Amino acid sequence: MSLFPCPQRGYKRGIMFGVFSQAYRRALVCWTAGVSRLAGLVVVASVVATLGAGVFLAENVRINTDTEDMLSPDLDFRRNSEVVSRAFPQFSDNLVVVIDGVTPDIADDAARALAARLRQRPNLFGRVDDPAGSDFFRRNGFLFLDLEDLYDLSDRLAEAQPFLGTLWRDPSLVGLFKMLNMAADEALKETPAQPIEIAGVLDAITDVAMAQTVGKFAQLSWQALMSGDAAEKDNEIANRRILVIQPALDFASLSPAADAMDGVREAAIGLGLTPEKGVRVRLTGSAALSHEELKSVEKGMGLAGAVSLVLVISLLMVGLRSSRLVIATLVTLVMGLVWTAAFAILALGTLNLISVAFAVLFIGLSVDFGIHYGLRYQESRRRGEVHALALGEAANQVGGALTLCAVSAAIAFYSFLPTDYLGLAELGLIAGTGMFIALFANMTVLPAMLTVMPKTHVKAGAGTTDKPVRPTSLGPAFQSFIRRNSRAVCWTALALGIGSALMLPKAAFDFDPLNLKDSKTESVATLFDLMADNRNSPYTVTVLSRDLNMAMGLADKLKTLPEVDDAATLTDYVPTNQGEKLEVISSMALFLAPAFAAKGTAAPPSAEQRGAALDRFLDKLKALAQLPGDAPAKQAAQRLSLAMKGIQGEDALKEFEKRLLTALPGRLVALNQALLAGPVSLATLPVAIRGNQIAADGRAKVEAFPKHDLRDREALARFVAAVRTVTPDATGSSVVILEAGNTVVRAFWQAGIVSVVLIALILIVVLQRFRDVVLVFVPLALAAMLTVAASVVFSLPFNFANVIVLPLLFGLGVAGSIHLVVRDREESGIDGVLETSTPRAVLFSALTTIGSFGSIALSSHPGTSSMGVLLTIAIALSLGCTLVVLPALMTVTGRNRNG
């Protein structure tokens, strides 16, 4: 016969919520009695289910890092974006390899070498696009210079023609010193022709010599010397090359781009493209951003999970004061968490960057259930009840409240299901269902664990005392404070509510998804570097036109808008003023032809030849250093003479030769190739360029670039609105960012209204007293307004990730209020409630929840971190309102046992 048979007698009038409530409580007690009788079997079955779920997770868990997939594909702007993606699939899932060199020569050589190496593995790297290094741009690059810059380059090369010929025939240190000696001879004449700016050349060589002396890397940039100021307008851009790769992504892996990214880095290291050799290779692009964002989330959530577990265990030890209860609660928690994760993958197939937070949410909420159940069980045991009776009483007394809390929290989560914000909708489905899994686990696994574990000894007669001992209450000081200051607390709460309400219009929403990424990761930092160039900014608008002619007309209209800086089409790849530019290039080819007439065949110089050439050069420097006045050549020669003292010995001289002349052959070849430019028309553009601008069905792309900084939401809204006056179907990142933000805000309001209304209806039905419903909601409303005010005060704007805070606040915060209001029905007024274990359970439940959410704030991923910060603030404020404001309201309104 069971030690705790199913109850058949009625309940006290103060705790009767109706026939259904009574029947439900009977069912819970019967369930608990059955679990207690079959505890061993229940524990074994739970362990087996957990192991099976764990195996399923290990084989099937996936995470989708595409932030666009967090929004419904049925939205108009998503459809327009998908149309462009299908028309130009080569721009999806790309790796962008950014190569920065200390000189433009190094960057160019590194890019060509790396591109050639990557093309050797097409199965891994797929298409490797090197726009600036393509034959088209190397041959026709001069046509894309401004006409003035082209004339300036032509003049410089005409003056340097004799010296270029010397280097073409003898690209060695001997040939270089011979050229410099010729230039020095001209500078030493009384009326020098000054064919080249020798001072600038000598200063560049001085920098290389000084770097070698101190053991630093440096190479002479021949491109800068030949191009002069035309190449020095923006060193960062001139010294940068970009490769675009569309690699084969392994979507069966948690890190689809990992192999390709590792392969690029290995190839770069194998080619010696390292910072020690003047090259920095970085990765960005959609594939790299997704990969590193996933790693950032994994790292952050892993740390959050570990910290959360430590905090939860510590708080459980303090709150429950029983290692037996702590162990049982933790085992229940782990099993429920694994079951919930398995449900998530079974129901959705993948997690997203927001739904991965379900684990930390579940930890806080499941422990909340365990604490209330455990403390009520502990309270009964301290009154002397035997184990089975204590379990049944705990189920009877808190089972209904726990169910109501689970339903309320689930509603808050499920409220996102009908919205277009799929990222939060998926989190809502997982976490909402997780509430019922947590309820089931705590009403099944927890009592089974407490039954199979060794029982603590209870002294005989402990249950016969007339007045039960309440060692689990918050203490007389807290009770006294509430009794004496209830009205002051209520007036203070009213003042805080009014002040918070006045701050509501100042609440901000951060619409920019880039702010949700970890700026310390390579891909994001590199993207920000690229954004310094307006043409590389992600904040653009893209439009598809029926054909190129329509695209050209559309681009002309867009260029007239004050918000638009420029609009580009395929025609921008056809240089302007080609006739005059080709004449200049032809002239350059004509006067440079003798310099490139014959390739030098001289053998590499010997040590003696290098030494002799160096001596002659040093003599020329000495002569230049003795020029009268303060001529630039004189000062440059003095600096170089001093720097050359550090270049001693044959090995040092060979190293010096390498530093000065490694980049020369490539620049001479590139110059020779650029002299072969010919007319460029739409018909002669390469297939790769046409394919990037014209879709397979003939539709043409127009890309509009903003004039202002679109990280300002008002500027973004004006830019998109202006473009839509010309073409309503515009898409691109600017449109997606703006509309995504609007969608999330709508989802927030929709979910908030749904959760509040449904929770209120359930509370009205269950509590059956309007005053009790008001008492539950007042602390929640105050906590919600205070949370928004805190976001303003601490400059914590809402964003795509933390917008879930307020709907969750109603679902999570309502639990504490429900427990206090329900316990008030059992006791003789609020004083009786404060003497029970319920306030302590509310306190430590909230603290464990804060510990769980607070740990998310440690994440390096800004999105999940901001969610953790605001959730921590919200739950902390909710705790204060529940434990202080609600009891004060109960006292002031004269709540008593008889209602």
Side-chain angles (χ1 to χ4, degrees):
M1 182 176 177
S2 172
L3 291 176
F4 194 90
C6 298
Q8 301 298 323
R9 62 184 183 274
Y11 292 94
K12 295 179 180 179
R13 178 175 177 275
I15 60 171
M16 292 183 62
F17 298 155
V19 175
F20 176 79
S21 174
Q22 186 177 11
Y24 180 70
R25 290 194 177 202
R26 283 201 192 99
L28 288 179
V29 175
C30 289
W31 176 264
T32 303
V35 167
S36 180
R37 288 195 303 268
L38 303 173
L41 181 60
V42 170
V43 171
V44 171
S46 300
V47 170
V48 171
T50 303
L51 292 176
V55 172
F56 172 77
L57 283 174
E59 296 177 350
N60 296 280
V61 65
R62 301 287 183 272
I63 298 179
N64 180 7
T65 59
D66 190 343
T67 54
E68 285 194 14
D69 286 345
M70 293 188 188
L71 301 171
S72 171
D74 296 327
L75 294 165
D76 289 341
F77 74 91
R78 285 292 316 274
R79 287 182 177 143
N80 293 336
S81 179
E82 183 61 24
V83 168
V84 174
S85 296
R86 288 197 300 266
F88 299 98
Q90 64 268 36
F91 296 116
S92 302
D93 299 324
N94 283 336
L95 278 179
V96 177
V97 185
V98 180
I99 303 166
D100 293 304
V102 295
T103 68
D105 317 52
I106 292 175
D108 183 67
D109 290 342
R112 290 174 63 81
L114 184 57
R117 179 67 61 89
L118 298 181
R119 290 186 180 115
Q120 295 175 5
R121 301 178 65 186
N123 292 336
L124 178 60
F125 298 114
R127 169 180 170 176
V128 179
D129 191 11
D130 178 16
S134 67
D135 290 340
F136 172 79
F137 283 108
R138 290 178 71 84
R139 184 176 63 254
N140 299 297
F142 285 168
L143 290 175
F144 291 91
L145 292 176
D146 291 338
L147 192 59
E148 182 180 347
D149 290 338
L150 183 61
Y151 274 117
D152 180 67
L153 176 64
S154 176
D155 292 341
R156 292 175 62 84
L157 292 177
E159 294 170 350
Q161 184 271 341
F163 308 98
L164 292 176
T166 300
L167 290 173
W168 178 258
R169 290 185 293 273
D170 184 10
S172 68
L173 194 62
V174 173
L176 174 61
F177 284 157
K178 182 178 180 181
M179 182 204 77
L180 293 173
N181 289 341
M182 294 169 58
D185 287 338
E186 289 295 326
L188 290 169
K189 293 179 180 178
E190 292 185 3
T191 55
Q194 195 73 9
I196 62 174
E197 294 289 341
I198 191 172
V201 177
L202 295 181
D203 282 337
I205 295 174
T206 299
D207 292 339
V208 175
M210 293 179 68
Q212 180 175 334
T213 301
V214 298
K216 293 183 179 180
F217 179 85
Q219 277 191 8
L220 187 63
S221 173
W222 287 93
Q223 181 172 322
L225 290 176
M226 287 189 288
S227 300
D229 293 339
E232 297 299 325
K233 291 179 178 178
D234 191 332
N235 279 331
E236 185 173 340
I237 295 177
N239 296 358
R240 174 173 292 164
R241 285 285 299 278
I242 295 175
L243 307 180
V244 181
I245 304 171
Q246 194 168 37
L249 301 180
D250 181 13
F251 289 103
S253 167
L254 284 175
S255 303
D259 290 344
M261 293 174 67
D262 291 343
V264 172
R265 293 186 174 114
E266 290 171 3
I269 293 174
L271 292 169
L273 307 182
T274 63
E276 293 76 19
K277 295 187 177 180
V279 184
R280 181 172 60 159
V281 177
R282 295 178 292 168
L283 300 177
T284 187
S286 58
L289 287 166
S290 296
H291 173 80
E292 293 193 335
E293 184 165 28
L294 175 58
K295 292 300 180 185
S296 176
V297 171
E298 286 180 345
K299 179 181 177 181
M301 295 309 294
L303 175 63
V307 173
S308 174
L309 186 60
V310 171
L311 289 175
V312 166
I313 293 175
S314 301
L315 288 168
L316 285 176
M317 292 298 296
V318 175
L320 298 178
R321 300 176 182 174
S322 166
S323 58
R324 178 167 167 266
L325 276 176
V326 170
I327 293 172
T329 303
L330 289 177
V331 170
T332 303
L333 166 65
V334 172
M335 288 185 176
L337 180 60
V338 174
W339 297 346
T340 303
F343 163 79
I345 299 302
L346 187 63
L348 299 172
T350 62
L351 300 174
N352 61 56
L353 293 175
I354 293 179
S355 65
V356 293
F358 86 90
V360 180
L361 297 177
F362 183 90
I363 291 173
L365 294 165
S366 178
V367 168
D368 176 273
F369 293 171
I371 288 176
H372 280 280
Y373 188 99
L375 282 180
R376 186 61 71 95
Y377 164 79
Q378 191 178 70
E379 185 177 321
S380 297
R381 290 285 283 157
R382 285 176 173 167
R383 288 201 306 265
E385 301 284 2
V386 296
H387 167 74
L389 291 173
L391 285 179
E393 185 172 342
N396 179 43
Q397 298 297 330
V398 301
L402 290 181
T403 302
L404 186 56
C405 292
V407 171
S408 299
I411 288 174
F413 287 117
Y414 285 152
S415 65
F416 279 97
L417 288 177
T419 71
D420 291 319
Y421 195 3
L422 297 186
L424 277 180
E426 292 180 0
L427 174 60
L429 176 63
I430 299 169
T433 306
M435 293 303 92
F436 296 111
I437 293 175
L439 178 65
F440 172 80
N442 281 279
M443 298 303 295
T444 305
V445 179
L446 182 56
M449 287 294 301
L450 290 174
T451 300
V452 299
M453 295 175 69
K455 315 298 187 297
T456 55
H457 178 68
V458 179
K459 294 181 180 180
T464 64
T465 56
D466 293 332
K467 184 177 181 180
V469 179
R470 308 286 193 175
T472 55
S473 66
L474 290 182
F478 176 73
Q479 301 168 30
S480 176
F481 172 81
I482 294 298
R483 283 194 298 268
R484 293 198 315 267
N485 301 284
S486 57
R487 292 187 179 278
V489 169
C490 290
W491 284 112
T492 302
L494 178 62
L496 289 174
I498 294 173
S500 299
L502 295 175
M503 300 185 71
L504 295 182
K506 297 181 180 179
F509 183 84
D510 186 355
F511 64 94
D512 194 341
L514 285 179
N515 293 335
L516 298 184
K517 300 182 184 294
D518 185 358
S519 60
K520 296 179 182 178
T521 60
E522 179 184 84
S523 58
V524 177
T526 304
L527 177 61
F528 286 149
D529 280 354
L530 293 177
M531 286 169 57
D533 180 3
N534 186 47
R535 287 299 180 109
N536 293 326
S537 172
Y539 304 103
T540 59
V541 164
T542 303
V543 183
L544 278 185
S545 296
R546 186 178 63 244
D547 52 38
L548 183 58
N549 288 332
M550 180 175 287
M552 293 167 60
L554 181 60
D556 289 339
K557 292 180 181 179
L558 291 173
K559 290 177 183 178
T560 64
L561 298 175
E563 294 83 4
V564 175
D565 183 56
D566 195 12
T569 66
L570 180 65
T571 58
D572 288 270
Y573 288 91
V574 179
T576 59
N577 300 317
Q578 287 192 57
E580 187 172 358
K581 289 179 179 178
L582 286 171
E583 289 182 5
V584 176
I585 294 171
S586 296
S587 299
M588 292 166 60
L590 183 63
F591 65 68
L592 287 174
F596 297 116
K599 178 69 175 177
T601 58
S606 63
E608 291 76 13
Q609 289 173 322
R610 286 195 196 91
L614 176 61
D615 291 338
R616 290 192 294 272
F617 178 59
L618 291 176
D619 289 340
K620 294 296 183 181
L621 287 180
K622 185 177 180 179
L624 287 172
Q626 295 175 353
L627 284 172
D630 294 325
K634 174 181 178 180
Q635 298 175 6
Q638 291 173 345
R639 289 191 291 268
L640 181 55
S641 296
L642 183 62
M644 290 299 295
K645 293 180 180 179
I647 310 298
Q648 300 292 331
E650 174 60 16
D651 291 341
L653 202 57
K654 290 176 67 175
E655 173 65 18
F656 192 50
E657 180 180 48
K658 181 180 179 181
R659 288 169 176 256
L660 293 179
L661 296 165
T662 293
L664 176 62
R667 307 295 76 71
L668 294 178
V669 169
L671 175 60
N672 201 16
Q673 189 174 359
L675 297 176
L676 303 177
V680 175
S681 65
L682 290 173
T684 62
L685 287 174
V687 174
I689 292 178
R690 291 184 60 85
N692 287 342
Q693 300 296 322
I694 306 294
D697 58 5
R699 286 177 296 173
K701 183 173 70 173
V702 182
E703 192 165 15
F705 300 91
K707 184 171 293 184
H708 306 290
D709 181 6
L710 296 195
R711 304 197 76 177
D712 175 6
R713 190 182 189 284
E714 296 301 323
L716 174 67
R718 289 195 301 270
F719 176 61
V720 172
V723 172
R724 281 176 166 172
T725 61
V726 177
T727 170
D729 293 332
T731 184
S733 56
S734 293
V735 175
V736 170
I737 290 171
L738 179 66
E739 292 297 343
N742 294 336
T743 300
V744 171
V745 172
R746 286 197 303 271
F748 160 73
W749 283 109
Q750 182 179 349
I753 293 172
V754 168
S755 63
V756 170
V757 171
L758 291 182
I759 291 173
L761 289 176
I762 289 177
L763 292 178
I764 290 172
V765 171
V766 174
L767 298 181
Q768 299 180 349
R769 293 174 181 171
F770 181 74
R771 179 181 293 179
D772 286 350
V773 175
V774 172
L775 287 174
V776 169
F777 266 99
V778 167
L780 289 178
L782 177 59
M785 290 191 294
L786 288 174
T787 299
V788 176
S791 75
V792 175
V793 172
F794 297 109
S795 299
L796 297 171
F798 291 95
N799 56 45
F800 291 93
N802 64 30
V803 72
I804 195 174
V805 167
L806 293 181
L808 285 186
L809 176 62
F810 278 89
L812 306 181
V814 73
S817 297
I818 289 173
H819 283 296
L820 288 178
V821 170
V822 170
R823 193 63 187 264
D824 180 53
R825 291 171 178 255
E826 304 173 16
E827 305 294 334
S828 55
I830 186 61
D831 289 343
V833 174
L834 295 179
E835 293 177 357
T836 68
S837 64
T838 299
R840 182 181 180 85
V842 170
L843 172 63
F844 281 94
S845 295
L847 289 179
T848 55
T849 304
I850 290 172
S852 299
F853 294 153
S855 64
I856 305 179
L858 300 176
S859 172
S860 60
H861 186 268
T864 52
S865 176
S866 68
M867 182 165 60
V869 171
L870 271 182
L871 279 171
T872 300
I873 292 173
I875 299 302
L877 291 171
S878 175
L879 174 61
C881 293
T882 301
L883 281 184
V884 179
V885 177
L886 179 56
L889 280 172
M890 288 178 171
T891 302
V892 171
T893 56
R895 291 291 300 143
N896 56 51
R897 182 170 183 159
N898 296 319

